[in-house]
Amino acid sequence: VWAAGENNTILHWSGAGWMPAAQDIEPGSFALNALWESSTNDLWAAGVGGRLWHWQGTRWGAVDAPAGLESFNALWGAASGDVWAVGGSGGSFHYDGTSWTAVPTGVTQPLFGLWGSGPQDVWAAGGARQFGGGSNALGVQGPQRMAGCVIAGAPVWANSV
């Protein structure tokens, strides 16, 4: 189990207690808003200032994030080479295993939640608008394409049926 928060804090549950796990992350007083793990050797952390870090089993490494995003608010992935990040001003980015690429959303409100059932079914929510996936992962705007209910401004959660 991993936890993240203010003052670039990342903690890992050892089975007996919480242990600091962010010694490799630059010092500062910024918040980490999101974590996503595909395996014990593959964990992403993201937060304020558009900062991204990747844990590869032994240490955290800073990752060049796409320019122009003031904050990452949520992470979700279908696999280690298929990770999504959303944040301020409707920013959405996809990692393909090699690099992060901006994906237009058509919204300008901050996005705060991500959920998916697979690589072609990814949903995001936030601000005053929402958009959803289906075969166009994160590419179709509007509730008319949503199979379920996503409440704007709340975390995204769903159960595959």
Side-chain angles (χ1 to χ4, degrees):
V1 176
W2 296 83
E6 295 293 325
N7 298 319
N8 63 325
T9 301
I10 297 180
L11 302 173
H12 185 252
W13 180 256
S14 68
W18 290 102
M19 306 298 293
Q23 295 87 348
D24 301 323
I25 293 181
E26 68 184 89
S29 59
F30 50 86
L32 293 172
N33 298 331
L35 292 171
W36 182 78
E37 178 184 35
S38 70
S39 72
T40 56
N41 293 326
D42 186 25
L43 177 72
W44 289 91
V48 174
R51 292 174 167 91
L52 277 171
W53 290 273
H54 191 206
W55 171 261
Q56 297 177 346
T58 58
R59 65 179 308 271
W60 288 95
V63 175
D64 289 332
L69 187 64
E70 68 273 9
S71 179
F72 286 108
N73 296 325
L75 293 165
W76 181 85
S80 63
D82 187 3
V83 182
W84 291 89
V86 296
S89 304
S92 173
F93 300 88
H94 180 253
Y95 179 71
D96 63 6
T98 303
S99 62
W100 288 90
T101 305
V103 178
T105 64
V107 299
T108 57
Q109 296 291 320
L111 298 171
F112 294 104
L114 273 172
W115 179 86
S117 66
Q120 297 301 312
D121 186 34
V122 179
W123 300 84
R129 308 270 307 264
Q130 62 267 349
F131 63 99
S135 61
N136 298 316
L138 290 177
V140 178
Q141 178 184 333
Q144 72 277 6
R145 289 282 304 189
M146 301 181 88
C149 178
V150 176
I151 299 173
V156 178
W157 181 88
N159 189 8
S160 307
V161 289

